[in-house]
Structure formats: C-alpha cells, structure tokens
Amino acid sequence: MKCTNLRRAGLSIVAAALLTGVTACGGSGGSGDSDGSGGSGASGKGGDGSPRLSPVAALLTAEKSTDGADSAKVESTTTMGSVMSMTADGALGWGDGLTGTLTITYTGGTMADTMRQMGTTSMEARYLPDAYYARMGDTFAEQAGGRHWIRYAYDDLESLGGSSGAYLKDQMQNTTPNQSVKLLLASGDVREVGEEKVRGQRTTHYSGTVEVADLAEKNSNLSQSQLDDLRKTLEQAGVTTETVDIWVDDRDLLVKKVEKGETTAGAYAQTAYYSDYGTEVSAEVPPASDTADFSELVKQQGAGAGS
C-alpha cells in the first residue's frame, strides 16, 4: 500500500472515529428551547402514584441531570450503509471540555477493509479539550516515520471539511450526552412511548423526528455562510431528517439513545448506552515522539500527490 494511500486512509478513519465520539455523546444537539408542542401524556399519574410530568417537562429535568453528571461509561454501535459498522467502548467526561478514552473496533464495511490493510481493525481514541488522538496500526506507523498516533487538533477540522468541519469542531468542543435530550426538545416533536426495561433498569422511552439542518442552526456558533454551506453538504449527503429515541431512568439520567437516518451511502444508525455516571475519566497526551500531527500529514499527502 502506497504511503500516500496509507495517509489518506488514516485521515478518513480518524475523521470517522472523531465523529463517533461526537455522536456517542449526542452530537447534533439542539438549543433546548421548546414551546412544548408535540408532547403527549401531559396529565395523569406515574406508576408510583406521583403526578406525571409532560414529556417536555420530563426531558428538561433529564437534560439538566445528565449534563450535571459530568462523566459516564459509554458503549455504542454505529452503522452507515456499506461504508462501516463499528463499536466503541470506554468512558467520557464533559465537565471541562470533552475528555476520555474509547476503544473503537471496525466490524464491517469498507472502513474495516481499510483498517485490515493497516494491520488492525481496532484502535484507541483519546479525546482531550483541544485535540483528538487516534492510535493506528503498525503498518501505518511504518509509513509515518514510526509514529503510531495521529493528533487531530480541532482547529484543523475546517481544513478537512470546510463548513462541515467547522460544525464538527463546534460540536466536539461543546458536546455532552444530554445533547440527545436537547435534540428532542428542539425538534418540537416529543412523544412519550411508555415505560420499558433497559438492561434491567426501569426507564421511560421518548421519541421524535428532527430536521438535521435546522438543529445545526440552533446549536452552533457558525456564521450564516457556514450554515448555508453545511446545509448544502447535508443535502448532498442525503441527510435531511433523523429519528431520535431516548430512555431515561428513575434518576432522570439518560441510559440509552438510538439515532437513525438515511444518507446517500445508505441507512445509518447509532445505539449508545450510558452507565456509571460520575465515573473517573482520564486521557493522557501520547508521547510526542510517537505522534504525527494531522496538518503535517495533510501537507505530506499534498506533496506526494504533486510529485
């Protein structure tokens, strides 16, 4: 496999893994400003005889409780057409910027094939407030001066995807698991499905449909021109709406979420489970001698393509 191809593959995998961290925490969240429209089940009694909250009121409480928990263990599965299927397992914190470590394993699709060419289908991902680090395989390291880690500074994201990259950077620096709750609140389409058991816990299931581009506008610091470009990118990718389902436990904490939608690459879906809220989270910066910078690899890839 040529050096340039290896770098290109490494960069695409890093971008996908970066996105996995965002979505595992509820990436494309909304503002949380809802007028309560679309809610049902606003009256009556709960199973313990207490007054039953409307879906919007219940989700507002869950949003605050989940945000205030600061950290949790996360397990997720993500699929996107024939492009990839992957799992992620670890712990993330959001008290002072996104931090934590996930083990990401590609289980199918073209991404898994690409990873196999680099000697592994699993990698470690470390999230720090200013950058994301991905540990690639030994085959990649042989083509990258012996360095296994790629440092992906959030400030470099825009150079990868323009306005899409700028939005991803914005979300990486502001994302928390409670964004999935905000997602429903901002949609104006909040429905209570009912009480269900999730891994033995009693939970309440809520569901809704959201307009992806509208939520990007409500929950980012992008300029109007960046938002317009992002909307075009989403349309070209076939992403318009997605369904969001969340399950909240008796402590008003998010314990499960499912997001589903369509893209030109096929259907995508992500299921994430959250547990052990308040767990200790650590993520150390890898050794500089074993780390290649994303922007440096981009320059090398450009030079290789021009030679």
Side-chain angles (χ1 to χ4, degrees):
M1 192 175 186
K2 293 182 179 179
C3 179
T4 299
N5 291 337
L6 267 174
R7 292 194 186 101
R8 184 179 297 112
L11 296 179
S12 65
I13 288 170
V14 168
L18 186 67
L19 183 60
T20 299
V22 176
T23 53
C25 274
S28 49
S31 66
D33 296 328
S34 173
D35 61 4
S37 61
S40 61
S43 60
K45 299 285 186 179
D48 59 359
S50 60
R52 192 182 189 88
L53 294 176
S54 72
V56 169
L59 289 180
L60 284 169
T61 301
E63 188 273 320
K64 292 178 182 177
S65 297
T66 301
D67 183 37
D70 286 348
S71 65
K73 291 183 179 179
V74 180
E75 298 174 53
S76 70
T77 59
T78 306
T79 60
M80 182 178 290
S82 61
V83 175
M84 69 173 182
S85 59
M86 67 198 313
T87 64
D89 183 32
L92 295 172
W94 52 91
D96 185 22
L98 185 65
T99 59
T101 301
L102 295 177
T103 298
I104 296 174
T105 303
Y106 291 85
T107 56
T110 55
M111 281 290 200
D113 294 337
T114 300
M115 286 292 285
R116 288 190 191 96
Q117 293 181 56
M118 289 187 287
T120 181
T121 56
S122 182
M123 71 179 191
E124 181 179 336
R126 295 183 187 177
Y127 299 84
L128 286 100
D130 64 336
Y132 161 89
Y133 295 81
R135 192 183 194 284
M136 311 304 290
D138 290 339
T139 304
F140 178 85
E142 290 173 3
Q143 302 294 334
R147 294 171 293 181
H148 293 83
W149 291 89
I150 299 178
R151 178 180 182 271
Y152 206 100
Y154 300 142
D155 286 341
D156 292 333
L157 284 172
E158 194 167 350
S159 66
L160 172 70
S163 294
S164 297
Y167 178 61
L168 188 54
K169 170 192 172 184
D170 181 273
Q171 292 301 286
M172 282 301 301
Q173 294 182 317
N174 296 289
T175 190
T176 60
N178 67 313
Q179 296 292 349
S180 291
V181 185
K182 288 185 175 183
L183 201 61
L184 283 185
L185 287 168
S187 73
D189 178 35
V190 181
R191 301 181 301 278
E192 181 181 323
V193 179
E195 292 188 359
E196 299 175 8
K197 287 287 186 70
V198 174
R199 294 184 168 180
Q201 296 185 68
R202 188 176 70 176
T203 69
T204 303
H205 178 187
Y206 300 93
S207 183
T209 302
V210 301
E211 297 290 334
V212 178
D214 289 345
L215 288 170
E217 183 172 1
K218 292 178 180 179
N219 190 51
S220 72
N221 297 312
L222 304 186
S223 67
Q224 189 57 52
S225 62
Q226 288 176 319
L227 286 167
D228 290 342
D229 288 343
L230 177 62
R231 185 172 283 104
K232 290 179 182 177
T233 300
L234 290 170
E235 290 173 353
Q236 291 171 355
V239 180
T240 55
T241 63
E242 67 177 24
T243 59
V244 179
D245 289 81
I246 66 171
W247 288 257
V248 178
D249 69 10
D250 291 341
R251 297 181 298 158
D252 298 315
L253 293 172
L254 178 65
V255 295
K256 178 184 177 182
K257 72 132 186 190
V258 175
E259 296 185 24
K260 295 181 179 180
E262 293 287 337
T263 73
T264 53
Y268 75 87
Q270 185 184 68
T271 299
Y273 292 91
Y274 307 93
S275 63
D276 296 281
Y277 278 94
T279 190
E280 184 175 345
V281 174
S282 63
E284 296 182 357
V285 176
S289 59
D290 197 26
T291 303
D293 193 84
F294 164 73
S295 59
E296 179 183 315
L297 290 176
V298 169
K299 291 177 183 177
Q300 292 175 3
Q301 180 176 316
S307 61

